[in-house]
Amino acid sequence: MSLIPDITELLARARADLRMGVPVVLTDDSGFSVLAISAETLNPQRLADLKKLGDPVVAITGRRAETLKARAYDGDLARVSIPADADITWVQAVADPSDDLNAPMKGPLMTERHGNANLHRIAIALAKSARILPAAVVVPVEDGRAFAVSHGLTCIDHTRVAPHLADRSALHEVVAARLPMEVSEAGRLHVFRPEDGGEEHYAVEIGRPDRDKPVLARLHSACFTGDLMGSLKCDCGPQLRGALAQMGAEGAGVLLYLNQEGRGIGLANKMRAYFLQDQGFDTVEANHRLGFEDDERDFRLGSDILKSLGFNSVRLLTNNPAKISMMERTGIAVTERVPLKVGETAHNRGYLATKAAKSGHLL
């Protein structure tokens, strides 16, 4: 029946639940089921209730486990046992690195090495996609589907969800309208909405680019602090304005504005990373301490939008080789890399050096 939510809609519901601090039920084919809740949004009463159900663990990424010197027997994640007397502060200190330097000795942390961690992996993936800290408190439950029904909780089946975790949601153009801009009065804004309930992405078209020729294009990830607030900690704002200015000067181009703030970790987590940078960590180290990879963005979204607009080749305004390789792998030919070296300040010089040294940016 079409009124029943499909797996994409259930995943969107699960992400919203985790952001609000509501648990979700995860199940697999063997009958194993767990209750999972975000470590970030967990409250004391729900932690107490989880302990009544069994022995919960905090599932964290391998990156976060490395910071905490916890053994990640599952490779990409660790299941940290929660001591019987641990309170909400202890749990959140495992998930959140903001107090790491003040209290570096959180252990010794005991981690589980036996049993299946597939459901814990899903819990972390859901937390990441919800743009909250990638850590979840997980406890086994009997008959997960019945538990979900009796408690009004979202239930996600591992077999159904596994193929979707690495997929990007299909994008559909919602509307397009003329948008006169400072750089060009011949502007047009296209709004694309993903099927999974995620944030919308935008394409700013300057002039009337010829679809039969490589278009001057820029994949720009949203940066509230740089694009809107004029932050000096990054070069995002100058890159955005510089790209639009060049397109305006040439009379044609497409700027894709992708809502992947903070290299795909969200604004709140980016601010956590900034806090860690103030403690002396570089941008990559800060992401790792939070439990994220260097870059969590999905540039395939840009390829999808370009194809939807009728483009199959670009002159790409970028300093990032990863964008070029992703375009090529997804069927968009990059005929030229157009450098975009703007916006260096005394505040972001170290940040730019880290991007060059650790992320391969051509600066």
Side-chain angles (χ1 to χ4, degrees), residues 78-120:
R79 293 169 285 161
V80 180
S81 300
I82 301 177
D85 60 349
D87 59 11
I88 191 72
T89 301
W90 186 93
V91 171
Q92 292 178 341
V94 171
D96 189 342
S98 60
D99 201 43
D100 279 358
L101 293 190
N102 292 328
M105 299 301 294
K106 292 182 171 63
L109 298 176
M110 304 300 294
T111 56
E112 295 190 357
R113 63 188 306 170
H114 302 294
N116 195 321
N118 285 338
L119 300 183
H120 303 74

Side-chain angles (χ1 to χ4, degrees), residues 136-214:
V137 178
V138 180
V139 64
V141 293
E142 294 291 333
D143 196 348
R145 290 180 178 81
F147 189 96
V149 170
S150 63
H151 291 79
L153 301 176
T154 302
C155 184
I156 302 291
D157 178 79
H158 172 265
T159 302
R160 293 183 64 198
V161 74
H164 294 268
L165 289 179
D167 284 349
R168 62 199 182 279
S169 177
L171 291 168
H172 301 285
E173 185 170 357
V174 178
V175 66
R178 189 174 68 89
L179 180 68
M181 304 167 65
E182 290 181 356
V183 298
S184 173
E185 293 186 4
R188 190 171 184 81
L189 178 65
H190 304 257
V191 178
F192 289 83
R193 181 177 297 159
E195 291 181 353
D196 65 0
E199 294 180 287
E200 293 166 349
H201 306 283
Y202 318 121
V204 182
E205 189 173 358
I206 301 297
R208 288 289 180 266
D210 188 339
R211 267 59 176 174
D212 295 325
K213 297 179 180 179

Side-chain angles (χ1 to χ4, degrees), residues 92-334:
Q92 292 178 341
V94 171
D96 189 342
S98 60
D99 201 43
D100 279 358
L101 293 190
N102 292 328
M105 299 301 294
K106 292 182 171 63
L109 298 176
M110 304 300 294
T111 56
E112 295 190 357
R113 63 188 306 170
H114 302 294
N116 195 321
N118 285 338
L119 300 183
H120 303 74
R121 190 167 288 109
I122 290 175
I124 290 175
L126 287 172
K128 272 191 177 184
S129 63
R131 302 293 188 261
I132 52 182
L133 286 170
V137 178
V138 180
V139 64
V141 293
E142 294 291 333
D143 196 348
R145 290 180 178 81
F147 189 96
V149 170
S150 63
H151 291 79
L153 301 176
T154 302
C155 184
I156 302 291
D157 178 79
H158 172 265
T159 302
R160 293 183 64 198
V161 74
H164 294 268
L165 289 179
D167 284 349
R168 62 199 182 279
S169 177
L171 291 168
H172 301 285
E173 185 170 357
V174 178
V175 66
R178 189 174 68 89
L179 180 68
M181 304 167 65
E182 290 181 356
V183 298
S184 173
E185 293 186 4
R188 190 171 184 81
L189 178 65
H190 304 257
V191 178
F192 289 83
R193 181 177 297 159
E195 291 181 353
D196 65 0
E199 294 180 287
E200 293 166 349
H201 306 283
Y202 318 121
V204 182
E205 189 173 358
I206 301 297
R208 288 289 180 266
D210 188 339
R211 267 59 176 174
D212 295 325
K213 297 179 180 179
V215 63
L216 182 63
R218 162 80 180 160
L219 274 66
H220 188 87
S221 298
C223 178
F224 171 78
T225 51
D227 299 343
L228 274 68
M229 307 305 294
S231 169
L232 301 177
K233 284 180 67 69
C234 66
D235 56 345
C236 301
Q239 284 191 324
L240 172 64
R241 291 180 284 276
L244 287 172
Q246 187 163 339
M247 292 174 189
E250 294 195 12
V254 176
L255 185 136
L256 306 181
Y257 197 86
L258 307 177
N259 273 307
Q260 301 189 112
E261 180 84 41
R263 295 189 181 182
I265 66 177
L267 182 59
N269 286 320
K270 185 173 86 169
M271 289 301 97
R272 290 185 172 111
Y274 276 13
F275 179 79
L276 294 173
Q277 289 171 34
D278 287 340
Q279 295 179 358
F281 300 102
D282 67 34
T283 182
V284 171
E285 292 166 342
N287 268 27
H288 290 178
R289 294 188 77 88
L290 285 164
F292 295 103
E293 295 302 316
D294 302 20
D295 196 332
E296 297 277 354
R297 290 174 292 181
D298 188 349
F299 295 127
R300 296 176 299 176
L301 297 169
S303 175
D304 292 343
I305 293 174
L306 286 168
K307 291 175 183 176
S308 177
L309 292 174
F311 298 103
N312 54 36
S313 63
V314 296
R315 298 165 52 225
L316 196 61
L317 274 158
T318 187
N319 303 322
N320 186 355
K323 291 182 180 179
I324 298 173
S325 59
M326 182 56 73
M327 289 293 98
E328 295 281 4
R329 288 200 303 271
T330 52
I332 298 292
V334 180

